[in-house]
């Protein structure tokens, strides 16, 4: 049985689903992703589904569940490469992937992550400056 | 109503689902559904198929081509003999969520398809009929349908066992490969170890070689020292020769001169015994002079580099004999010469010395024969010049043959025959310098034959 490769890219995991998944493989992939998140202390998981022709309720549920689970482990999931047909089908199927962030392709996903990180570090910087300010005021007194 | 069954597939395990999805997509594509519609239909099929597997474990899915008067499309019939669906109404209203957190499958499928009918009886199973119509008119001929039917059946009839077996084979192959890799790794490791050992050996060998080299260097050094010593000895010898020739000769000349003066001017004042003594002194001095001369020429041969030139052997021998005409007549020696006109590439002075010496020897040792006979002959055999001289002189015992050529070695007493004993030694050396050979045959009292050969070139 083929296993879906999970690539580590800095603190991001990249999962590119290349073949149609049967249900067991999908469940296993979910576990694998969560294990890798824990192992690598990953901040984000980008799942590329552009090769998937069919996303039925099971796979859809699996993806949204994975996102929820990863969030519990402080990692955000971004789904990329959902084709028009798949998106229409998902909506008509009545499947709600509300909790999942999406991006058009891998590149925009990486950009999105970069922005997130920038804003995160930006706030930290401000915090440290504030600390310094505190110290200075102490010295003055 | 005219439905044509394209294929009937069995759902009894998870892997089927992927196959069914794949087949569904292919069927939709060949029937002319758009990509979006293909995805919608296949998603529904996937949902229905999963339900069968999940709840009934086994069932069938049939694909039909619908060809009504004004509608063409696909119809999918899914049936199972499972436990039936309990909360069908709730499910269809979207109010039910299954244990697995799903439940949208049937409802979703209904919304994805154009027509959807479901019948479910507890303990008797469920059957679903769902259809999707093509948006544009596209009739497919019976022939086309039949060929589609054949194609799909051919694909699906590939026995799963075979596929699984193939997968297993591939898996085994992979495992074997892995094992092989491991073996190779082990081999490589052992090879590496061997290499390391060999390396150590080589290093040891190198060290040994180095020490041998040092030894060799030392040997070479001592050899060079020996050569230097030898060279210095050689130059010492040369100096000694010079001393012998000049420094020894000078007092000798003194002895000779004064003894001659004694005889010439004071002979009358000397007793008979006194005259005898002076004569003996004179003769001994001459002998010593000859010895020194021979020694000098013998040692000169070692260092002298001679230039080869064309020598006419017949002319050379004839001129030597001409010079000795007086001796020949005086001793009435019968000389028989059989000389061929042979040209030799050699050292003329050296050859002159060799032939003169051999002729003189022959004349000397035939002195007491009556009549003295000397035969000289030259021949050419292949590339070799042969010189033979035979006499009827006193001869010698062959057991002394080899010693004859030693410096200052004589087989006869000086009282009987004059000479220093250096003659043949010098001859032999000159002939060897020409890469030639010399030998003799003799019996005491029966004369002797001396032969030498030289390469012509």
């Amino acid at each position: 049985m083929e296993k879906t490769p999970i690539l580590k890219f800095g603190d991001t995991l990249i999962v590119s689903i290349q073949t149609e998944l049967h249900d067991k493989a999908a469940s296993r992939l979910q576990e694998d992703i969560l294990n890798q998140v824990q192992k690598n202390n990953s901040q984000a998981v980008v799942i590329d589904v552009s090769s998937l022709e069919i996303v039925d309720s099971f796979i859809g549920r699996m993806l949204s569940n994975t996102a929820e689970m990863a969030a519990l482990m402080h990692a955000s999931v971004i789904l990329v490469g959902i084709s028009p047909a798949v998106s229409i089908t998902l909506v008509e199927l009545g499947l709600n992937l509300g909790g999942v962030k999406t991006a058009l392709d891998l590149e925009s996903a990486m950009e999105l992550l970069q922005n997130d990180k920038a804003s995160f570090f930006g706030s930290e910087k401000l915090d440290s400056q504030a600390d310094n300010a505190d110290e200075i005021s102490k010295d003055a007194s | 109503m005219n439905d044509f069954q394209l294929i009937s597939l069995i759902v009894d395990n998870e892997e089927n689902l992927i196959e069914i999805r794949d087949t569904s997509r292919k069927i939709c594509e060949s029937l002319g559904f758009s990509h979006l519609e293909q995805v919608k239909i296949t998603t529904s099929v996937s949902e229905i198929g999963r339900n069968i597997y999940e709840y009934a474990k086994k069932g069938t899915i049939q694909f039909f081509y619908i060809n009504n008067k004004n509608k063409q499309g696909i119809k999918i019939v899914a049936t199972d003999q499972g436990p039936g669906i309990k909360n069908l109404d709730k499910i269809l209203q979207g109010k039910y969520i299954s244990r697995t957190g799903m439940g949208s499958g049937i409802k979703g499928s209904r919304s994805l398809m154009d027509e959807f009918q479901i019948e479910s009886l507890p303990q008797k199973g469920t059957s679903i009929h769902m259809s999707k119509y093509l948006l544009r008119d596209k009739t497919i001929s019976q022939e086309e349908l039949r060929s589609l039917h054949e194609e799909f059946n051919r694909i699906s009839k590939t026995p799963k066992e075979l596929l699984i077996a193939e997968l297993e084979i591939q898996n085994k192959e992979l495992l074997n490969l892995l094992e092989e890799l491991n073996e190779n790794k082990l081999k490589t490791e052992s090879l590496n170890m061997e290499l390391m050992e060999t390396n150590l050996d080589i290093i040891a060998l190198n060290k040994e070689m180095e020490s041998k080299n040092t030894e060799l260097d030392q040997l070479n050094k001592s050899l060079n020292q020996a050569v230097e010593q030898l060279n210095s000895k050689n130059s010492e010898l040369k100096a000694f020769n010079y001393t012998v020739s000049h420094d020894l000769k000078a007092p000798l000349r003194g002895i000779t001169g004064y003894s001659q003066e004694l005889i010439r001017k004071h002979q009358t004042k000397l007793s008979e015994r006194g005259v005898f003594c002076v004569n003996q002194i004179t003769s001994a001095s001459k002998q010593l002079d000859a010895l020194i001369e021979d020694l000098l020429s013998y040692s000169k041969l070692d260092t002298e580099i001679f230039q080869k030139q064309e020598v006419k052997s017949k002319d050379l021998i004839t001129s030597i004999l001409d010079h000795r005409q007086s001796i020949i007549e005086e001793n009435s020696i019968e000389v028989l010469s059989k000389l061929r006109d042979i040209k030799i590439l050699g050292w003329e002075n050296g050859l002159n010395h060799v032939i003169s010496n051999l002729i003189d020897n022959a004349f000397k040792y035939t002195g007491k024969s009556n009549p003295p006979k000397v035969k000289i002959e030259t021949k050419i055999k292949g590339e070799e010049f042969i010189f033979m001289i035979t006499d009827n002189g006193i001869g010698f015992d062959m057991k002394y043959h080899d010693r004859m050529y030693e410096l200052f070695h004589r087989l006869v007493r000086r009282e009987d025959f004059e000479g220093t004993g250096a003659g043949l030694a010098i001859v032999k050396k000159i002939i060897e310098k020409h890469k030639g050979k010399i030998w003799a045959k003799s019996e005491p009292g029966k004369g002797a034959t001396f032969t030498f050969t030289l390469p012509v070139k």
Side-chain angles (χ1 to χ4, degrees):
Chain A
M1 290 302 137
E2 77 271 17
K3 225 177 146 185
T4 305
I6 299 174
L7 309 177
K8 184 175 173 284
F9 184 77
D11 54 8
T12 304
L13 295 179
I14 298 173
V15 185
S16 179
I17 302 173
Q18 292 296 329
T19 52
E20 296 288 328
L21 292 173
H22 58 76
D23 296 1
K24 261 187 202 154
S27 306
R28 201 173 60 194
L29 177 60
Q30 184 175 57
E31 263 178 56
D32 285 350
I33 290 172
L34 295 173
N35 284 333
Q36 291 297 320
V37 167
Q38 185 189 34
K39 191 176 154 196
N40 300 309
N41 194 19
S42 306
Q43 300 292 311
V45 183
V46 178
I47 303 176
D48 179 7
V49 294
S50 54
S51 297
L52 284 186
E53 292 258 5
I54 308 293
V55 178
D56 64 9
S57 62
F58 185 87
I59 303 284
R61 185 75 58 188
M62 184 278 281
L63 292 170
S64 90
N65 285 351
T66 306
E68 276 178 45
M69 293 166 186
L72 287 176
M73 298 169 77
H74 199 269
S76 52
V77 170
I78 302 178
L79 217 54
V80 302
I82 295 176
S83 69
V86 168
S87 80
I88 293 169
T89 308
L90 282 175
V91 170
E92 286 191 14
L93 196 61
L95 208 62
N96 184 15
L97 295 185
V100 189
K101 272 188 227 170
T102 56
L104 201 55
D105 51 27
L106 195 57
E107 204 181 335
S108 14
M110 296 315 280
E111 244 168 62
L112 193 68
L113 286 170
Q114 216 88 64
N115 290 340
D116 282 0
K117 213 183 271 179
S119 62
F120 179 72
F121 282 121
S123 62
E124 196 176 54
K125 211 173 183 182
L126 285 175
D127 284 351
S128 67
Q129 276 171 352
D131 286 348
N132 285 341
D134 276 354
E135 277 170 25
I136 291 161
S137 59
K138 268 179 211 161
D139 288 345
S141 66
Chain B
M1 200 68 156
N2 188 5
D3 297 346
F4 183 92
Q5 191 191 325
L6 288 165
I7 193 170
S8 170
L9 296 170
I10 294 170
V11 184
D12 58 2
N13 66 51
E14 263 190 23
E15 280 79 15
N16 284 149
L17 285 175
I18 290 182
E19 191 193 330
I20 287 163
R21 285 207 289 244
D22 202 38
T23 312
S24 159
R25 221 182 43 72
K26 276 181 190 153
I27 289 171
C28 295
E29 192 182 6
S30 36
L31 291 182
F33 282 102
S34 72
H35 179 68
L36 173 59
E37 285 165 331
Q38 287 171 31
V39 172
K40 283 183 179 178
I41 296 165
T42 305
T43 307
S44 313
V45 169
S46 178
E47 300 292 340
I48 301 302
R50 177 174 299 102
N51 274 352
I52 293 175
Y53 175 67
E54 194 114 322
Y55 297 107
K57 295 298 165 209
K58 192 173 175 177
T60 54
I61 295 181
Q62 291 164 290
F63 292 85
F64 295 90
Y65 172 64
I66 311 167
N67 191 11
N68 287 345
K69 267 183 202 163
N70 44 11
K71 278 181 185 172
Q72 284 84 33
I74 190 169
K75 181 161 101 181
I76 293 142
V77 177
T79 49
D80 68 62
Q81 270 81 47
I85 304 167
K86 279 178 194 166
N87 310 308
L88 192 57
D89 286 345
K90 279 190 184 171
I91 288 170
L92 290 175
Q93 285 164 22
K95 289 179 181 167
Y96 175 80
I97 291 175
S98 75
R99 273 183 296 114
T100 49
M102 316 248 260
S104 56
I106 290 172
K107 184 180 169 278
S109 296
R110 192 170 65 169
S111 54
L112 286 171
M113 300 298 278
D114 292 337
E115 279 180 23
F116 190 92
Q117 293 166 340
I118 181 164
E119 277 176 36
S120 188
L121 293 170
Q123 305 312 318
K124 290 216 169 160
T126 307
S127 77
I128 293 170
H129 292 240
M130 55 185 193
S131 310
K132 185 92 179 171
Y133 299 108
L134 284 159
L135 291 176
R136 58 207 143 86
D137 269 354
K138 197 201 174 199
T139 35
I140 297 171
S141 71
Q142 286 291 321
E143 260 176 49
E144 277 177 283
L145 283 171
R146 239 177 264 127
S147 77
L148 279 176
H149 172 78
E150 273 168 30
E151 195 191 318
F152 292 129
N153 279 293
R154 198 174 54 242
I155 295 169
S156 76
K157 275 206 180 117
T158 315
K160 283 184 200 69
E161 288 77 10
L162 269 182
L163 280 174
I164 289 169
E166 205 176 311
L167 273 175
E168 273 172 4
I169 288 168
Q170 280 179 4
N171 217 0
K172 256 188 197 166
E173 272 172 19
L174 274 173
L175 282 174
N176 284 342
L177 258 177
L178 210 70
E179 216 165 279
E180 239 174 79
L181 273 173
N182 271 333
E183 261 174 44
N184 276 341
K185 202 182 159 194
L186 284 176
K187 267 190 211 163
T188 315
E189 273 169 13
S190 81
L191 260 177
N192 267 342
M193 283 295 289
E194 256 176 65
L195 271 174
M196 263 169 72
E197 277 168 26
T198 316
N199 261 345
L200 285 177
D201 283 352
I202 288 172
I203 289 169
L205 268 175
N206 263 342
K207 271 187 189 164
E208 223 173 284
M209 291 268 283
E210 270 172 26
S211 77
K212 291 262 181 217
N213 265 342
T214 341
E215 267 176 52
L216 207 64
D217 278 350
Q218 279 170 354
L219 274 175
N220 266 340
K221 264 185 201 166
S222 47
L223 198 67
N224 282 336
Q225 280 174 358
V227 167
E228 263 174 42
Q229 275 176 3
L230 208 63
N231 281 338
S232 77
K233 289 272 177 212
N234 261 342
S235 22
E236 267 175 47
L237 260 177
K238 274 186 196 165
F240 173 72
N241 277 337
Y242 184 83
T243 310
V244 166
S245 61
H246 292 90
D247 299 3
L248 288 188
K249 268 186 150 187
L252 196 59
R253 270 198 295 279
I255 295 169
T256 316
Y258 286 119
S259 50
Q260 278 171 355
E261 192 187 325
L262 264 179
I263 290 291
R264 257 188 287 148
K265 292 186 179 170
H266 311 285
Q267 201 176 10
T268 49
K269 289 172 193 168
L270 284 172
S271 66
E272 202 177 317
R273 176 73 186 161
V275 174
F276 172 76
C277 286
V278 174
N279 279 336
Q280 282 304 105
I281 290 170
T282 314
S283 138
S285 304
K286 273 186 190 162
Q287 180 66 23
L288 187 59
D289 188 55
L291 264 173
I292 290 168
E293 204 57 53
D294 281 350
L295 180 67
L296 205 60
S297 57
Y298 182 82
S299 58
K300 254 193 200 165
L301 283 178
D302 274 334
T303 49
E304 204 158 331
I305 300 163
F306 57 86
Q307 294 259 310
K308 278 190 173 182
Q309 63 188 77
E310 195 182 86
V311 181
K312 290 175 178 166
S313 63
K314 192 176 178 182
D315 294 354
L316 179 67
I317 296 166
T318 312
S319 92
I320 292 169
L321 287 174
D322 285 349
H323 281 118
R324 282 152 183 77
Q325 207 50 50
S326 57
I327 304 171
I328 293 169
E329 280 170 11
E330 206 172 292
N331 297 302
S332 34
I333 304 169
E334 284 180 27
V335 178
L336 183 71
S337 56
K338 243 171 101 180
L339 304 174
R340 290 193 45 197
D341 219 350
I342 301 165
K343 287 171 188 167
I344 311 163
L345 202 62
W347 177 33
E348 186 158 18
N349 286 339
L351 289 174
N352 187 14
H353 186 95
V354 168
I355 293 166
S356 304
N357 194 285
L358 289 175
I359 289 173
D360 288 345
N361 272 353
F363 287 175
K364 190 161 62 183
Y365 295 114
T366 52
K368 288 171 184 176
S369 307
N370 193 19
K373 284 183 187 172
V374 173
K375 186 178 152 195
I376 302 167
E377 199 180 344
T378 60
K379 282 192 266 186
I380 186 158
K381 191 181 174 189
E383 296 283 291
E384 277 198 326
F385 168 78
I386 302 172
F387 175 93
M388 285 169 77
I389 180 163
T390 310
D391 63 59
N392 63 345
I394 55 162
F396 59 90
D397 193 331
M398 281 301 279
K399 67 181 175 187
Y400 301 118
H401 177 266
D402 289 347
R403 301 186 63 187
M404 260 177 357
Y405 306 104
E406 286 173 16
L407 192 60
F408 305 134
H409 193 89
R410 303 203 70 201
L411 302 181
V412 292
R413 290 187 302 159
R414 185 144 31 94
E415 287 80 355
D416 297 333
F417 296 99
E418 275 189 8
T420 60
L424 280 178
I426 295 169
V427 164
K428 192 171 189 238
K429 201 164 230 181
I430 294 169
I431 284 173
E432 279 172 354
K433 282 215 162 196
H434 281 84
K435 296 193 171 70
K437 276 184 227 163
I438 181 164
W439 68 93
K441 271 185 185 171
S442 180
E443 262 181 67
K446 289 191 177 175
T449 302
F450 279 83
T451 312
F452 75 81
T453 63
L454 302 172
V456 180
K457 284 174 187 171

